[in-house]
Amino acid sequence: MADINISYGEDISGHVPEGDPATAWERRRDDYKLVSPLNRRKFKVIVVGTGLAGAGCAAALGELGYNVSSYTFHDSSRRAHSVAAQGGINSARARKVDNDSIHRFVKDTVKGGDFRGREADAFRLAEESVRVIDHMNGIGAPFAREYGGELTTRSFGGVQVSRTYYTRGQTGQQLQVSAHRALQRQVAAGTVNLHTHEEMLDLIVKDGRAVGIVTRNLRTGKISAETAHAVVLATGGYGNVFHKSTLAKNSNCTAAWRAHRRGAYFASPAYIQFHPTALPISSKFQSKTTLMSESLRNDGRIWVPLTAGDTRAANDIPENERDYYLERKYPAFANLTPRDIASRAAREQIEAGHGVGPLKNSVYLDFRDAKERLGVKVLDERYGNLFEMYRDATGEDPHEVPMRIAPGAHFAMGGLWTDYDQMSNIPGLFVGGEAGWAYHGANRLGANSLLSACVDGWFTLPYSVPHYLAEHLGEAPVDVADDVVVQTLADVQERIDRLMNIRGTVPTDHFHARLGEILYEGCGVSRNDSKLRRAIEEIRELRDEFYRELFVPGTGEQFNQELERAGRVEDYLELAELMCVDALDRKESAGAHFREEFQTDDGEAQRNDEEWCFVSAWEMGPDYSHIRHAEPLTFEAIELQTRNYK
């Protein structure tokens, strides 16, 4: 088995204000230094990524009067992957008479994350959630409404109240369009300089501070650098490391991973969420999985045939021969259990021989009862575009036959480590959205992703970044002729040349597909010691083969998508090892990290709070070794407890 080289560094602090976590954000905001309106134009901030976090941050800073450079590898900011989170966005506005509150929101979030996230972060998320809905509604997001005009809500997994605001099944798309318009307004005003078709390939660090980035123009191949007073990374998550995931094919970890190589800590990489309502893989030639929104679990019932190996069509199986296993095992939450529990339960049914479909790799999501209760018109009002998408993908009508769903690699709870101000351990490097680790702990509750991105972009970074900038008034950005900039440019060019000059015979996607197979088997829905060690060994062997056999056609000085993919897969091959190392190191089960050695007698996750109640923040050693730092976690408002959804 693989030799694992782990060393342990000093504990780190999240710099959370002391005292009541419920008031930490209010007190922290009052302590932030301010930059006067006349001085704001003297500062430049680079924001990488134009999803909800990046577009919101760039638009807000531009509106405040700072000079912002915004980067995206898309042709338009509206193409960012935030469009894919369609089900809804949570908020503790408590407009329904169902006894919701900020405290309940925090409890659901902390508990849902299995007590492996910061309690104070969850309070900020809840507090700002009220402003987020009002703000997004104000800038044009067409939220669904009650007959009298009030915004309406629905429920999502892991909660027993109705706090999820939505726009049919298009919430992420509509929020992204609104954020895109706000960003373009600042582009037109001249406060934001938007760079499209530019991919960040390195972080420039001088005297321990982040001072700029190196990018490659995807159309021309030109490598260039830009410096600034601060850098914000809002570049999304790394679920595509699994190859077949619910993410868009261009979603990647490169910007965050290159920052990690420059010294930024990477937190909780093993915490990967497997979405329970993805469409099952139908062929090994399939390029990705398709996500069906979790909102469908409001009205759809999940079941499998009671008898293993049953080959009858779904509608031919009578009621008494169906196992509604989530309703049976978790009666209090039923089909709205958190995603990690629902995915693990589905995987258990499939592996026990109860899987359905041509490949026996899925379970049913059935709208028969909802159709009888509500009617087709109401179902189409709530989920019409999702039903259409399912029909287009499968050729089956969910009104007539149950959907088939299966767990698919989805959201990354891990990411670059940041403190309470959302600044990494590298001063001047801030992180927003899924690129960071904040809020979600070991498992993200549904409809908290759009919220966390909006909170970061509109209502956290526009406070914390100026606080950092205030200490650097009168300083100019580093000159692009500076030695550290020139050296970083040279490092990027050398890396590109190395990939181009391998001149093997195997295309990039072969290595990515093989890596996905290794991870699904070794670091998937469930893990154990031997699986993880074998996965690390296989990843290292695959990485060696990558550097021997990779073939990248063309040149680096042109539009070259194979070169783009090669660089991203090279990063995945390093990240994948760290994911497995983190999972191997954490000797407990928590949320999406389910170690088979650590489970209760009835098969539930077994945390070890005495030894593992901390965030693992990994540093890359000079010899590519793994150095683990720990940020201890404390819980004052929400008492540590075993998760129970029964």
Side-chain angles (χ1 to χ4, degrees):
M1 289 291 183
D3 178 40
I4 315 300
N5 181 14
I6 301 176
S7 57
Y8 303 98
E10 297 178 351
D11 285 0
I12 54 178
S13 171
H15 303 124
V16 177
E18 294 182 2
D20 185 357
T23 62
W25 180 228
E26 179 184 1
R27 289 181 284 113
R28 187 66 177 126
R29 287 202 314 265
D30 289 342
D31 288 340
Y32 278 148
K33 296 181 178 67
L34 300 176
V35 177
S36 73
L38 293 178
N39 284 329
R40 292 171 190 169
R41 67 175 67 97
K42 300 175 183 178
F43 289 107
K44 183 200 286 188
V45 180
I46 292 172
V47 180
V48 187
T50 56
L52 283 176
C57 179
L61 290 174
E63 183 84 35
L64 288 168
Y66 296 94
N67 291 307
V68 180
S69 282
S70 174
Y71 283 85
T72 177
F73 58 53
H74 298 293
D75 61 349
S76 167
S77 59
R78 66 177 292 176
R79 294 193 185 278
H81 195 57
S82 295
V83 300
Q86 303 288 49
I89 177 170
N90 286 335
S91 179
R93 294 170 87 235
R95 297 298 195 266
K96 293 275 187 180
V97 187
D98 57 3
N99 202 15
D100 196 11
S101 66
I102 284 182
H103 180 83
R104 290 188 185 278
F105 182 106
V106 173
K107 182 178 180 180
D108 288 340
T109 299
V110 170
K111 178 184 172 185
D114 221 349
F115 295 88
R116 291 300 177 258
R118 282 198 205 107
E119 188 179 47
D121 283 3
F123 270 105
R124 178 171 64 201
L125 191 70
E127 180 181 339
E128 295 294 0
S129 71
V130 180
R131 285 211 291 171
V132 163
I133 299 301
D134 292 338
H135 174 74
M136 298 309 294
N137 183 45
I139 65 173
F143 288 114
R145 296 177 182 271
E146 304 281 5
Y147 180 76
E150 278 286 317
L151 303 187
T152 191
T153 57
R154 57 190 175 200
S155 298
F156 249 65
V159 303
Q160 293 177 303
V161 295
S162 181
R163 68 164 69 105
T164 305
Y165 295 78
Y166 64 97
T167 63
R168 295 184 73 192
Q170 304 174 359
T171 313
Q173 181 177 339
Q174 297 300 332
L175 294 183
Q176 181 63 35
V177 168
S178 299
H180 163 78
R181 287 198 299 257
L183 178 61
Q184 291 298 327
R185 178 172 177 268
Q186 295 308 310
V187 172
T191 63
V192 175
N193 185 14
L194 179 61
H195 305 265
T196 59
H197 293 117
E198 294 275 350
E199 181 170 28
M200 175 181 159
L201 295 184
D202 215 335
L203 178 72
I204 303 171
V205 180
K206 181 177 174 64
D207 298 330
R209 286 174 45 203
V211 297
I213 63 172
V214 173
T215 63
R216 178 176 181 271
N217 185 293
L218 299 182
R219 291 172 297 183
T220 67
K222 181 181 179 182
I223 306 297
S224 57
E226 182 170 12
T227 59
H229 294 91
V231 176
V232 178
L233 296 188
T235 50
Y238 52 89
N240 258 345
V241 67
F242 284 85
H243 187 248
K244 288 182 174 66
S245 81
T246 64
L247 277 68
K249 291 301 290 181
N250 267 345
S251 298
N252 64 85
C253 73
T254 289
W257 192 252
R258 303 292 169 90
H260 176 58
R261 283 208 196 96
R262 291 294 178 185
Y265 295 165
F266 208 101
S268 305
Y271 291 157
I272 287 283
Q273 184 172 82
F274 289 81
H275 201 294
T277 55
L279 297 190
I281 294 172
S282 59
S283 166
K284 69 177 183 178
F285 301 108
Q286 193 171 321
S287 63
K288 66 183 299 295
T289 55
T290 300
L291 176 66
M292 301 306 295
S293 170
E294 181 183 326
S295 61
L296 293 166
R297 292 201 279 151
N298 271 282
D299 292 307
R301 299 179 69 193
I302 296 173
W303 63 276
V304 293
L306 196 59
T307 303
D310 194 326
T311 59
R312 288 177 292 176
N315 290 340
D316 293 336
I317 300 176
E319 184 72 12
N320 63 350
E321 296 182 36
R322 300 180 177 193
D323 181 10
Y324 296 91
Y325 58 89
L326 289 178
E327 299 174 25
R328 169 173 55 83
K329 294 180 66 175
Y330 308 100
F333 284 74
N335 296 298
L336 289 176
T337 55
R339 290 176 179 178
D340 60 322
I341 290 175
S343 289
R344 202 153 53 241
R347 180 56 54 196
E348 289 172 358
Q349 294 295 326
I350 292 168
E351 291 180 350
H354 296 272
V356 301
L359 300 182
K360 304 298 181 184
N361 62 346
S362 54
V363 300
Y364 288 128
L365 178 61
D366 196 340
F367 291 87
R368 181 196 63 182
D369 294 349
K371 179 181 174 181
E372 293 177 359
R373 185 179 74 254
L374 301 171
V376 170
K377 181 180 179 182
V378 172
L379 285 179
D380 283 345
E381 286 175 352
R382 294 178 180 178
Y383 315 111
N385 64 304
L386 297 172
F387 281 15
E388 290 172 11
M389 186 167 67
Y390 186 85
R391 279 193 291 267
D392 289 343
T394 67
E396 299 174 355
D397 185 353
H399 289 309
E400 304 301 328
V401 297
M403 288 184 176
R404 289 179 291 108
I405 57 172
H410 181 53
F411 189 92
M413 281 76 69
L416 291 177
W417 179 87
T418 53
D419 65 10
Y420 189 64
D421 298 327
Q422 292 195 278
M423 187 164 71
S424 74
N425 59 297
I426 300 177
L429 177 63
F430 294 81
V431 187
E434 195 180 346
W437 76 282
Y439 305 116
H440 308 302
N443 174 62
R444 176 179 66 81
L445 291 187
N448 268 358
S449 62
L450 293 177
L451 175 63
S452 58
C454 289
V455 168
D456 288 352
W458 291 105
F459 298 117
T460 304
L461 291 166
Y463 293 112
S464 60
V465 172
H467 169 71
Y468 170 80
L469 296 176
E471 299 178 351
H472 299 282
L473 184 63
E475 299 177 13
V478 171
D479 194 290
V480 291
D482 189 277
D483 288 347
V484 72
V485 179
V486 173
Q487 183 58 55
T488 308
L489 282 164
D491 292 344
V492 169
Q493 187 62 57
E494 187 275 333
R495 193 177 191 87
I496 290 173
D497 292 342
R498 187 171 72 251
L499 292 174
M500 294 298 306
N501 292 331
I502 294 173
R503 295 300 178 190
T505 60
V506 181
T508 303
D509 202 57
H510 164 84
F511 298 102
H512 196 181
R514 178 68 187 118
L515 177 63
E517 293 171 356
I518 294 170
L519 287 177
Y520 264 109
E521 174 63 27
C523 197
V525 175
S526 61
R527 302 92 184 260
N528 62 45
D529 186 282
S530 61
K531 281 183 179 180
L532 288 165
R533 291 183 183 276
R534 183 165 58 250
I536 292 170
E537 186 173 350
E538 291 176 348
I539 290 167
R540 290 175 177 175
E541 292 173 353
L542 185 65
R543 193 162 61 227
D544 290 342
E545 182 185 344
F546 177 86
Y547 287 120
R548 290 195 315 268
E549 303 296 339
L550 174 70
F551 172 65
V552 180
T555 71
E557 291 76 40
Q558 62 178 166
F559 174 74
N560 191 334
Q561 290 185 307
E562 281 301 303
L563 176 58
E564 296 169 36
R565 296 188 184 106
R568 295 167 187 172
V569 171
E570 182 181 32
D571 296 331
Y572 284 142
L573 286 165
E574 294 180 2
L575 169 62
E577 178 175 332
L578 182 60
M579 289 168 56
C580 294
V581 167
D582 184 42
L584 186 65
D585 180 60
R586 184 164 287 271
K587 295 176 175 58
E588 67 165 355
S589 290
H593 168 63
F594 187 79
R595 283 284 296 266
E596 295 171 359
E597 303 95 327
F598 307 104
Q599 56 181 301
T600 62
D601 292 339
D602 57 353
E604 301 297 335
Q606 190 170 59
R607 286 198 330 264
N608 181 349
D609 294 328
E610 290 185 7
E611 299 180 32
W612 292 95
C613 193
F614 61 80
V615 178
S616 296
W618 294 90
E619 176 186 359
M620 180 181 286
D623 56 349
Y624 294 95
S625 61
H626 308 293
I627 305 168
R628 194 251 284 157
H629 301 268
E631 181 196 335
L633 296 171
T634 58
F635 298 92
E636 300 176 26
I638 312 299
E639 182 181 354
L640 278 165
Q641 58 190 267
T642 300
R643 286 204 303 169
N644 184 356
Y645 293 95
K646 297 181 179 181

